[in-house]
Amino acid sequence: MSGWESYYKNEGDEEEEQEEGLEAGGDYSYSGRDSLIFLVDASRAMFESQDEDELTPFDMSIQCIRSVYTNKIISSNRDLLAVVFYGTKKDKNSVNFKNIYVLQELDNPGVKRVQELDKFKGQEGKKYFEDQIGHGSDYSLSEVLWVCANLFSDVQFKMSHKRIMLFTNEDDPHGDDSAKASRARTKAGDLRDTGIFLDLMHLKKRGGFDTSLFYRDVIIAENEDIGIHFEESSKLEDLLRKVRAKETRKRVLSRLKLKLNKDVTLTVGIYNMVQKAYRPPPVRLYRETNEPVKTKTRTFNVNTGSLLLPSDTKRSQTYSHRQIVLEKEETEELKRFDEPGFILIGFKPLMMLKKHHYLRHSLFVYPEESLINGSSTLFSALLTKCLEKEVMAVCRYTPRRNSPPCFVALVPQEEELDDQKIQVAPPGFQLVFLPYADDKRKVPFTEKVMANPEQVDKMKAIVQKLRFKYRSDSFENPVLQQHFRNMEALALDLMEPEQAVDLTLPKTEVMDKRLGSLVDEFKELVYPPDYNPEGKVTKRKKDDESYGSKRPKVELSEEELKAHVSKGTLGKLTVPALKEACRMYGLKGGLKKQELLDVLTEHFQKA
Amino acid sequence: MARSWDKAAVVLCMDVGLAMSNSFPDEESPFELAKKVMTMFVQRQVFAENKDEVALVLFGTDGTENALAAGDQYQNITVHRHLMCPDFDLLEDIESKIQPGSQQADLLDALIVCMDLIQEETLGKKFEKRHIEVFTDLSSPFSRDQLDIIIHNLKKSGISLQFFLPFPIGKQGGTGDRGDGSLLSDHHGPSFPPKGITEQQKEGIQMVKKVMMSLEGEDGLEEIYSFSEALRQLCVFKKTERRSMPWSCQLTIGSNLSIKIVAYKSITQEKVKKCWTVVDARTLKKEAIQKETVYCLNDDDETEVSKEDTIQGFRYGSDIIPFSKVDEEQMKYKSEGKCFSVLGFCRSSQVHMKYFMGNQVLKVFAAKDDEAAAVALSSLIHALDELDMVAVVRYVYNEKTNPQVGVAFPLIKDAYECLVYIQLPFMEDLRQYMFPSLKNNRKCTPTEAQLSAVDALIDSMSLVQKDEEEGTIEDLFPTSKIPNPQFQRLFQVGSVNPAENFRVLVRQKKATFEEASHQLINHIEQFLDTNETLYFMKSMDCIKAFREEAIQFSEEQRFNNFLKALRDKVEVKQLNHFWEIVVHDGVTLITKDEAPGSSVTTEEAKKFLAPKENANADSAAAFEEGGDVDDLLELI
């Protein structure tokens, strides 16, 4: 029966899908869904801001959660999210613990849930909270964690990753009750043992948040986060970055061997840090009920009408009338070169890496201790020395069985933290793909005409005026943003979708203002008075043979044309050539080749 | 699929003059090698089923037959075949009809004949590319008078050139590639000056280099191949295959400043185009197979519904939202047509390579024949270069495509300067993963001994050679000059893994041992002729496979003879590098102990690999020079 399952798949796309899937999601499809509970302290202190203009810690948390919700809708809508308040007056949870209010159980993020979160925003939100839920006087953190654990166990889906993010500005919740504190520690330990991660998103507290009082023992750095300790956040932006960094689980694309020589091997994990985000594919819905329909593709024999199993087909290619037929497996075999992995070829100085030899986006390489012990140590030594000697490792890389090898450079990258101690660059190697000779193209370059120093200086002034600090997350994709705004509007039955701000458009007004008279000064230095760079036909030099000229100017002598007519070979000429000829003799011949041929033939036969 | 706009006109211009038939004993003459390369090219043309047309012009022929011949002008040049689609006749002609001549002819005269032929015979036809491939040993005298005119005309008429010579030329000389540090120079493996070259040939090399430099800048030198290079890499004929389409636009800075530009794809991953079609297993016909797609409800019966009864929708989180194509079209984001607009400038260090994405690199030049635009763009290129800054731009290919944000950085070479454009990620494309620190982690802190071992490894496996005197660094392993083995496999399968093929052949008795070993020896010799490290490794695999199988099949004598012949050959051809590898790996004659049929004692086998006492100083020096290359091989 297994044959039938694959048989419903769309054969043509299958291979590509597989590859794309592997590249994009890592082991996503096999591992289940990620789940995340936002656990928010709702005690009075969370609603007090130190400054009039400042967001309250609670408001900041809600905005941050909302942002994660909308992001998840875009990036991974299968993931499960929940929101739990504690320190509340009312309670709502499956075990009827006091002071714990489950606002949203673990489920996919959706429009309604985002709307619900919006109600808690700002001053109005504060009031709404006080009316609907209210502040409580007491709570037990161990009970809070208990409720969270229950939320996870109520989920029917297979979950790959369970995480709780705790938002609070109280650094010593059970300072006067050591029994409660100790129960909370025990419960946190239980969660850890069942594979639930607990993160502290601590917010600003008067006098500073002291993790040593309580949380240091509760939040024990997990294996994967050794050495990463955040500072407390006083700004939404900082909080967002911390949450973002934790909210997506690292997915390894593949775990591979890196062979330094025939005796020394270590294992590494490959990660994708940049991946083009696409609009999600459309789904087909049944018109009557708007329910999604399933799509099946089947292959059948035209003559007999019988369905064909994959084994009833073969693969074929034709070269000059000869057909080559192979089994599907054999075509796979053709692509096989090496075992998957890296083979070190040698080292080159970093400065030999050519920026303009970019082939495809790079990947990230980090040691993987689970397969070969000592990999991290060897990796660390390699990284240290490559950084010190400013070299990169050139390797032959075979990503998968059945994929051809390519050359890559492993470029060392040192760990970098920002002032909030958030890691902005992880330690490891960037895997940079190097092009083969076949991938490079010769381009017909334009003759070099050098600008003089005065012109260059003027341009430098322009460049300096338009300086900004580039950040990789500065630009949103306007196409995606607009799509999701449209979806949002439709889901909420809004009349008009909100127009997404297109950050990719140049801010011409600001630019013009900053540049002032510089542009005109530059143009005066560079452009002749009558020059119009926008003009479509400002060919300054006539050059018929240049690549740029679209229409090859063809002049045929009368003799040649006559010869073609008499030999009947006029049809060998191209349509533009024929048109040109017609024009030369003032003939009107329509647009089709045959019409052109007819008038020309007629003309010369008469003559 | 051949598209008409991809069509090329190619003239094969072959020297059949007197000297082309000269060769060292046991080696093929340049004449024969040139024929081989041409055969390979024409074969590929025939199989590619494209519409390219090929002509064949011979020079150094006894007779004369060309349109320009008059008096004593353009003598001994024969247009053997006019421009037309290549076919089996052409292959046959190359194989048997072309004979060595006893004359000499001026190479430049022959070039003029070829140019004339191309121009005359492509008149009124649509060819995207016009190209001349010259095969010569450069031993005939030529007159330089016309050189500048020839270069001018080649440029003007957009005819490209490639040269194929019996020897590799030194491709030294810095690339002047300021973007990458001006001290670098790319070499094609360890290049040794061709031996036994005449003064006339030296002059010829200078002339060829000059022509190619003036046509294409330093890249032009890449279009001068040795025959052995050409035989190995089918991709040298790339010229006739792929060309980037120009994309014209205006680079804008604010609303008032625009510069006319033209951009071309300069790097994009080439994939195998021809794909496998699904055919019926019994009839082997694809027409017999049809696919259909059906929709069904998600109920127990999987009730089928017609396509008309379905509508389009999208997931938005947990919600599914019906959204017709018409609505979508109306509401979706619309870019306002093509553009290349500067959003701002920033320090080049802020735009790290790890953010590069997309599937192409564009080179952006000023519009053709527009001096004002060229000066304007040059100002920008040099301003950015001097300030060490880059432009961040919005790029839209046309009104139907989505906008991109990308980086444009300056690239300044001797022959040209341009901006290089590469796409950058949107916020949605980034994944901010964090990884545990490797530094202050006791579990993975390497010891001093481990660090120094890695240090030594890096030194011993250096892929560059530094010349302290000249302050240059030579790349011994320029990966971007190596062809993709996937294409090689498609077009010839055969030399990709000869050692393995050999094993299969002899074991499955698909060929006699004699035949199979003969083929293998041919491959080994071809590899060695390249005198390139990369191919030494392959040769070693072949030799080892040969040795193992010879013992298995009691063909020890065949192997021993081969190895002896190889040792002699190595001496003649100065392949000391290679022999060192053989010695290091201890690949020697098959002894009595290994195979009863052998008469060689262990002692003799050992002696066979011992260095000859009269090893001259030259070869010792050569060995030293390539020292780290050998170390590299030991390690792999």
Side-chain angles (χ1 to χ4, degrees):
Chain A
M1 281 305 279
S2 68
W4 287 89
E5 213 170 279
S6 59
Y7 147 96
Y8 277 126
K9 275 198 199 149
N10 215 340
E11 294 240 2
D13 306 335
E14 201 177 334
E15 242 168 296
E16 254 197 299
E17 230 170 60
Q18 236 174 30
E19 267 180 37
E20 292 283 309
L22 277 167
E23 296 277 290
D27 47 8
Y28 185 83
S29 48
Y30 307 106
S31 57
R33 306 173 183 217
D34 281 2
S35 49
L36 173 60
I37 296 176
F38 294 103
L39 183 55
V40 186
D41 184 353
S43 317
R44 225 170 268 282
M46 284 288 282
F47 291 82
E48 287 161 10
S49 54
Q50 302 184 5
D51 220 305
E52 276 293 300
D53 314 325
E54 222 178 49
L55 288 174
T56 65
F58 183 81
D59 211 358
M60 219 159 90
S61 308
I62 291 292
Q63 289 200 30
C64 185
I65 294 166
R66 188 197 192 272
S67 152
V68 174
Y69 265 72
T70 45
N71 267 324
K72 285 278 183 188
I73 287 176
I74 296 176
S75 63
S76 36
N77 56 33
R78 294 175 66 235
D79 288 356
L80 306 174
L81 300 176
V83 178
V84 176
F85 296 141
Y86 69 91
T88 53
K89 191 164 137 200
K90 282 191 191 167
D91 56 66
K92 187 180 152 206
N93 58 74
S94 57
V95 277
N96 295 325
F97 282 143
K98 295 283 173 226
N99 312 109
I100 301 167
Y101 193 95
V102 177
L103 182 72
Q104 295 177 355
E105 304 212 357
L106 276 170
D107 202 350
N108 307 113
V111 180
K112 304 255 154 50
R113 303 184 121 207
V114 175
Q115 276 179 311
E116 188 175 18
L117 285 174
D118 281 343
K119 290 183 188 157
F120 292 97
K121 265 200 327 202
Q123 279 301 319
E124 285 168 40
K126 189 175 171 182
K127 189 165 182 311
Y128 181 78
F129 178 86
E130 277 158 7
D131 293 350
Q132 299 292 317
I133 303 171
H135 305 293
S137 47
D138 195 22
Y139 59 87
S140 156
L141 210 52
S142 110
E143 287 176 0
V144 171
L145 295 176
W146 185 302
V147 168
C148 291
N150 279 351
L151 288 181
F152 284 119
S153 52
D154 287 345
V155 172
Q156 301 296 317
F157 303 108
K158 187 185 167 203
M159 284 176 288
S160 56
H161 193 66
K162 301 174 205 168
R163 192 180 277 277
I164 300 169
M165 279 188 194
L166 175 58
F167 295 80
T168 183
N169 63 348
E170 173 58 73
D171 54 4
D172 196 11
H174 300 311
D176 50 357
D177 189 339
S178 60
K180 262 189 185 172
S182 136
R183 277 206 301 276
R185 283 190 198 105
T186 315
K187 188 68 201 168
D190 291 350
L191 290 186
R192 206 159 43 236
D193 293 343
T194 52
I196 297 171
F197 296 88
L198 179 58
D199 289 313
L200 178 64
M201 296 296 151
H202 47 315
L203 300 151
K204 199 164 177 183
K205 188 193 174 187
R206 234 180 270 271
F209 195 105
D210 186 356
T211 45
S212 69
L213 289 176
F214 174 73
Y215 280 104
R216 188 191 282 165
D217 303 332
V218 176
I219 317 286
I220 292 175
E222 316 132 22
N223 184 35
E224 64 164 330
D225 291 331
I226 302 161
I228 302 175
H229 289 293
F230 295 142
E231 301 283 304
E232 64 176 48
S233 337
S234 53
K235 279 186 274 175
L236 176 63
E237 192 191 294
D238 294 337
L239 183 65
L240 261 175
R241 273 200 297 157
K242 276 187 232 172
V243 170
R244 287 262 165 77
K246 292 274 189 175
E247 149 252 308
T248 44
R249 194 174 65 108
K250 296 191 286 280
R251 294 184 203 285
V252 65
L253 276 186
S254 54
R255 296 179 178 88
L256 293 172
K257 284 182 177 171
L258 166 57
K259 272 190 192 171
L260 296 187
N261 62 34
K262 64 174 184 283
D263 301 318
V264 183
T265 303
L266 62 151
T267 43
V268 292
I270 315 289
Y271 299 84
N272 214 343
M273 310 283 264
V274 181
Q275 172 69 44
K276 183 104 201 85
Y278 290 101
R279 191 200 67 180
V283 285
R284 286 260 134 218
L285 307 176
Y286 183 47
R287 190 185 288 280
E288 303 291 316
T289 57
N290 280 353
E291 65 177 306
V293 294
K294 278 204 288 193
T295 308
K296 289 185 193 175
T297 306
R298 48 193 180 205
T299 313
F300 63 91
N301 188 308
V302 180
N303 304 324
T304 63
S306 61
L307 291 178
L308 294 172
L309 283 167
S311 60
D312 293 329
T313 60
K314 287 189 177 188
R315 301 292 179 277
S316 130
Q317 266 188 21
T318 309
Y319 276 106
S320 65
H321 315 299
R322 226 183 86 210
Q323 194 183 22
I324 304 163
V325 181
L326 297 178
E327 299 287 347
K328 183 164 188 276
E329 293 71 27
E330 290 175 304
T331 64
E332 302 281 307
E333 188 85 10
L334 258 185
K335 292 193 276 184
R336 184 168 306 173
F337 285 82
D338 281 330
E339 284 300 305
F342 296 89
I343 297 169
L344 176 64
I345 297 168
F347 296 88
K348 284 185 193 179
L350 272 179
M351 64 160 181
M352 292 180 89
L353 188 63
K354 293 179 178 166
K355 251 167 59 166
H356 59 279
H357 273 185
Y358 163 83
L359 188 65
R360 41 175 294 197
H361 72 80
S362 63
L363 300 170
F364 182 71
V365 180
Y366 190 82
E368 180 72 43
E369 194 73 15
S370 62
L371 299 175
I372 298 182
N373 272 339
S375 288
S376 303
T377 312
L378 184 51
F379 186 94
S380 176
L382 197 62
L383 182 62
T384 310
K385 280 295 166 185
C386 282
L387 283 167
E388 184 186 307
K389 299 173 88 97
E390 296 183 353
V391 291
M392 56 187 177
V394 177
C395 298
R396 202 173 130 100
Y397 169 53
T398 308
R400 287 180 294 282
R401 197 172 286 282
N402 297 343
S403 65
C406 45
F407 290 114
V408 296
L410 297 182
V411 180
Q413 173 175 299
E414 198 160 21
E415 182 179 12
E416 262 178 68
L417 305 177
D418 67 3
D419 49 6
Q420 287 272 312
K421 298 234 177 117
I422 300 178
Q423 191 179 54
V424 284
F429 288 93
Q430 288 292 338
L431 188 161
V432 176
F433 289 87
L434 304 173
Y436 277 119
D438 316 68
D439 303 323
K440 291 190 298 178
R441 296 183 180 189
K442 289 265 156 65
V443 296
F445 57 82
T446 305
E447 289 293 323
K448 190 167 176 169
V449 187
M450 284 269 277
N452 64 38
E454 197 189 351
Q455 293 161 333
V456 174
D457 284 344
K458 191 57 80 183
M459 184 52 95
K460 275 190 190 168
I462 292 179
V463 169
Q464 296 282 22
K465 284 274 183 220
L466 301 178
R467 271 182 99 114
F468 77 113
K469 187 168 184 290
Y470 173 79
R471 286 176 47 127
S472 55
D473 55 2
S474 307
F475 300 98
E476 288 180 343
N477 184 343
V479 179
L480 278 184
Q481 291 299 333
Q482 190 58 55
H483 175 78
F484 286 109
R485 299 285 152 96
N486 292 345
M487 290 295 107
E488 204 174 42
L490 287 168
L492 301 176
D493 289 325
L494 300 179
M495 289 301 284
E496 276 286 319
E498 195 187 338
Q499 284 301 308
V501 185
D502 188 350
L503 298 169
T504 70
L505 285 174
K507 300 185 174 61
T508 41
E509 270 174 40
V510 185
M511 289 170 83
D512 291 347
K513 212 170 138 198
R514 276 213 228 166
L515 290 175
S517 61
L518 279 172
V519 168
D520 287 329
E521 288 162 35
F522 177 76
K523 286 208 271 199
E524 208 159 291
L525 281 174
V526 173
Y527 289 156
D530 60 332
Y531 182 77
N532 174 18
E534 268 104 45
K536 286 233 159 97
V537 269
T538 43
K539 272 229 125 110
R540 298 181 64 78
K541 265 194 264 167
K542 274 255 149 67
D543 190 349
D544 292 334
E545 301 288 351
S546 75
Y547 282 106
S549 65
K550 273 233 154 139
R551 199 176 55 174
K553 196 157 175 159
V554 206
E555 279 172 41
L556 288 159
S557 68
E558 193 160 333
E559 285 72 42
E560 282 170 304
L561 279 171
K562 273 184 186 164
H564 276 302
V565 171
S566 63
K567 278 194 256 167
T569 52
L570 205 58
K572 283 193 173 178
L573 299 179
T574 57
V575 173
L578 292 170
K579 274 195 192 155
E580 184 67 33
C582 286
R583 232 176 26 159
M584 269 164 61
Y585 297 98
L587 303 169
K588 282 194 179 136
L591 291 167
K592 289 196 177 127
K593 186 163 186 177
Q594 195 53 50
E595 293 169 0
L596 293 166
L597 290 175
D598 289 346
V599 285
L600 275 172
T601 315
E602 197 186 346
H603 174 81
F604 282 104
Q605 276 167 352
K606 259 194 268 171
Chain B
M1 273 286 110
R3 285 156 294 197
S4 63
W5 48 264
D6 250 354
K7 212 164 93 166
V10 182
V11 182
L12 300 172
C13 176
M14 182 188 174
D15 190 349
V16 295
L18 195 55
M20 284 290 280
S21 310
N22 296 343
S23 68
F24 293 98
D26 296 332
E27 269 184 28
E28 279 177 296
S29 64
F31 178 81
E32 289 301 328
L33 285 171
K35 275 178 32 169
K36 268 195 186 171
V37 180
M38 290 200 319
T39 304
M40 210 170 72
F41 170 74
V42 176
Q43 263 175 0
R44 192 166 165 188
Q45 290 283 320
V46 172
F47 283 108
E49 298 173 335
N50 58 23
K51 290 181 173 169
D52 293 354
E53 296 189 11
V54 178
L56 179 58
V57 172
L58 307 173
F59 63 105
T61 48
D62 294 346
T64 300
E65 199 186 320
N66 67 70
L68 303 178
D72 60 349
Q73 295 287 302
Y74 300 101
Q75 291 303 294
N76 304 105
I77 300 172
T78 303
V79 177
H80 185 89
R81 183 179 156 113
H82 289 270
L83 215 49
M84 56 180 103
C85 282
D87 49 24
F88 286 99
D89 291 347
L90 179 58
L91 279 172
E92 262 175 44
D93 277 11
I94 295 171
E95 178 64 33
S96 51
K97 280 218 185 123
I98 300 177
Q99 293 300 326
S102 55
Q103 301 293 322
Q104 288 188 326
D106 186 329
L107 163 63
L108 293 179
D109 280 353
L111 257 186
I112 295 174
V113 170
C114 293
M115 286 160 66
D116 175 68
L117 180 145
I118 268 199
Q119 270 172 331
E120 288 296 316
E121 298 186 14
T122 56
L123 201 70
K125 293 191 202 167
K126 202 173 177 180
F127 284 98
E128 264 304 308
K129 240 172 290 178
R130 298 187 279 181
H131 182 63
I132 301 173
E133 283 169 13
V134 186
F135 302 82
T136 178
D137 64 347
L138 297 173
S139 48
S140 312
F142 55 89
S143 123
R144 278 175 176 275
D145 307 348
Q146 304 276 316
L147 192 55
D148 289 333
I149 302 172
I150 293 176
I151 292 171
H152 176 75
N153 276 313
L154 283 169
K155 270 191 193 172
K156 201 179 134 207
S157 48
I159 298 177
S160 54
L161 266 186
Q162 274 178 310
F163 281 92
F164 297 86
L165 310 175
F167 37 77
I169 61 151
K171 286 170 188 173
Q172 272 93 348
T175 56
D177 194 343
R178 293 178 46 194
D180 314 316
S182 54
L183 301 178
L184 303 178
S185 67
D186 288 337
H187 282 217
H188 230 281
S191 55
F192 298 99
K195 55 183 165 143
I197 238 176
T198 64
E199 282 306 312
Q200 179 61 49
Q201 282 173 314
K202 277 183 198 159
E203 201 184 318
I205 293 174
Q206 288 316 314
M207 182 272 288
V208 168
K209 279 189 180 175
K210 184 182 171 191
V211 173
M212 294 312 291
M213 282 287 274
S214 3
L215 286 179
E216 305 199 29
E218 64 266 22
D219 286 350
L221 297 186
E222 303 293 327
E223 299 301 336
I224 308 171
Y225 297 94
S226 69
F227 289 147
S228 58
E229 250 178 307
L231 283 170
R232 260 183 306 120
Q233 313 179 358
L234 285 154
C235 77
V236 298
F237 300 115
K238 189 173 162 54
K239 271 240 143 133
T240 60
E241 294 214 314
R242 225 147 254 300
R243 204 185 111 199
S244 291
M245 300 298 283
W247 180 78
S248 301
C249 194
Q250 278 126 26
L251 182 155
T252 59
I253 303 174
S255 63
N256 266 323
L257 181 54
S258 34
I259 303 171
K260 285 177 79 178
I261 52 164
V262 59
Y264 300 90
K265 259 185 204 181
S266 80
I267 291 190
T268 192
Q269 201 166 0
E270 290 294 337
K271 299 212 167 108
V272 178
K273 288 280 150 38
K274 200 146 181 168
C275 55
W276 297 94
T277 44
V278 181
V279 295
D280 184 272
R282 269 171 301 124
T283 59
L284 302 185
K285 287 208 169 83
K286 72 161 186 261
E287 294 79 16
I289 287 185
Q290 208 170 342
K291 271 189 188 174
E292 69 168 9
T293 304
V294 292
Y295 302 96
C296 51
L297 297 179
N298 224 341
D299 54 16
D300 290 343
D301 304 331
E302 301 204 324
T303 320
E304 276 191 30
V305 293
S306 73
K307 192 174 180 199
E308 288 69 41
D309 286 332
T310 65
I311 50 169
Q312 183 184 266
F314 287 94
R315 279 185 199 282
Y316 184 71
S318 52
D319 311 285
I320 295 177
I321 293 152
F323 196 29
S324 72
K325 270 225 156 70
V326 184
D327 287 343
E328 191 197 353
E329 197 54 43
Q330 210 181 357
M331 289 167 76
K332 76 174 186 194
Y333 175 89
K334 288 171 195 80
S335 70
E336 286 151 32
K338 70 170 158 185
C339 83
F340 198 82
S341 309
V342 171
L343 301 178
F345 301 96
C346 67
R347 295 219 69 81
S348 65
S349 58
Q350 284 169 7
V351 185
H352 197 273
M353 265 182 98
K354 68 182 176 191
Y355 296 129
F356 288 1
M357 61 184 290
N359 49 18
Q360 60 175 10
V361 175
L362 296 181
K363 282 190 175 167
V364 180
F365 300 96
K368 297 263 178 230
D369 306 314
D370 187 332
E371 205 179 305
V375 175
L377 193 68
S378 172
S379 315
L380 179 58
I381 290 168
H382 286 273
L384 291 176
D385 185 58
E386 286 168 32
L387 293 168
D388 192 20
M389 288 176 76
V390 298
V392 174
V393 298
R394 168 190 159 98
Y395 162 74
V396 183
Y397 178 74
N398 67 26
E399 69 278 1
K400 289 204 181 68
T401 56
N402 294 334
Q404 291 179 4
V405 169
V407 61
F409 57 86
L411 179 67
I412 301 172
K413 298 227 179 198
D414 288 342
Y416 65 88
E417 50 189 33
C418 63
L419 289 176
V420 175
Y421 170 84
I422 299 172
Q423 191 187 351
L424 292 172
F426 286 118
M427 187 266 281
E428 293 89 339
D429 307 328
L430 291 169
R431 298 185 183 182
Q432 286 160 340
Y433 295 153
M434 288 196 188
F435 292 84
S437 174
L438 291 173
K439 262 188 197 156
N440 310 309
N441 184 347
R442 258 174 291 118
K443 269 193 275 178
C444 58
T445 306
T447 61
E448 272 313 308
Q450 285 168 325
L451 281 173
S452 62
V454 170
D455 195 278
L457 176 84
I458 293 176
D459 286 341
S460 68
M461 291 180 76
S462 174
L463 293 173
V464 294
Q465 201 167 320
K466 289 189 181 130
D467 188 327
E468 301 291 345
E469 262 169 50
E470 292 195 28
T472 57
I473 298 172
E474 185 188 336
D475 191 345
L476 298 174
F477 194 74
T479 52
S480 67
K481 294 191 176 137
I482 296 169
N484 187 342
Q486 201 184 2
F487 300 134
Q488 306 279 70
R489 176 171 290 194
L490 263 188
F491 290 118
Q492 51 169 178
V493 188
S495 75
V496 178
N497 196 343
E500 198 47 43
N501 292 352
F502 170 73
R503 284 201 176 96
V504 172
L505 275 179
V506 295
R507 286 194 189 151
Q508 301 184 348
K509 303 215 163 44
K510 281 189 180 157
T512 66
F513 195 89
E514 184 179 357
E515 279 166 6
S517 59
H518 208 77
Q519 282 181 21
L520 188 74
I521 293 170
N522 274 339
H523 275 305
I524 295 172
E525 288 186 347
Q526 256 186 40
F527 290 150
L528 292 183
D529 280 343
T530 66
N531 205 348
E532 274 185 32
T533 328
L534 187 68
Y535 291 92
F536 287 175
M537 306 183 210
K538 249 185 185 172
S539 305
M540 276 315 292
D541 289 343
C542 292
I543 295 171
K544 285 176 188 166
F546 191 4
R547 193 173 191 279
E548 277 169 32
E549 298 304 316
I551 296 172
Q552 284 284 321
F553 286 84
S554 307
E555 294 275 1
E556 55 282 333
Q557 204 50 47
R558 207 176 287 284
F559 177 80
N560 285 352
N561 289 344
F562 156 76
L563 200 64
K564 282 177 190 162
L566 183 70
R567 188 175 66 167
D568 296 341
K569 192 161 184 154
V570 160
E571 267 171 44
V572 177
K573 290 200 170 181
Q574 305 192 338
L575 288 165
N576 314 55
H577 279 52
F578 177 70
W579 193 248
E580 282 298 323
I581 301 169
V582 177
V583 173
H584 180 272
D585 285 6
V587 178
T588 181
L589 301 174
I590 297 171
T591 64
K592 268 189 212 168
D593 306 336
E594 290 171 287
S598 169
S599 59
V600 182
T601 64
T602 316
E603 195 59 27
E604 283 169 329
K606 236 185 199 167
K607 216 169 153 190
F608 180 77
L609 290 182
K612 294 220 164 167
E613 302 202 346
N614 59 354
N616 56 31
D618 263 6
S619 62
F623 170 55
E624 229 166 64
E625 203 183 331
D628 40 10
V629 178
D630 284 349
D631 293 346
L632 161 67
L633 287 166
E634 285 163 27
L635 281 159
I636 284 181

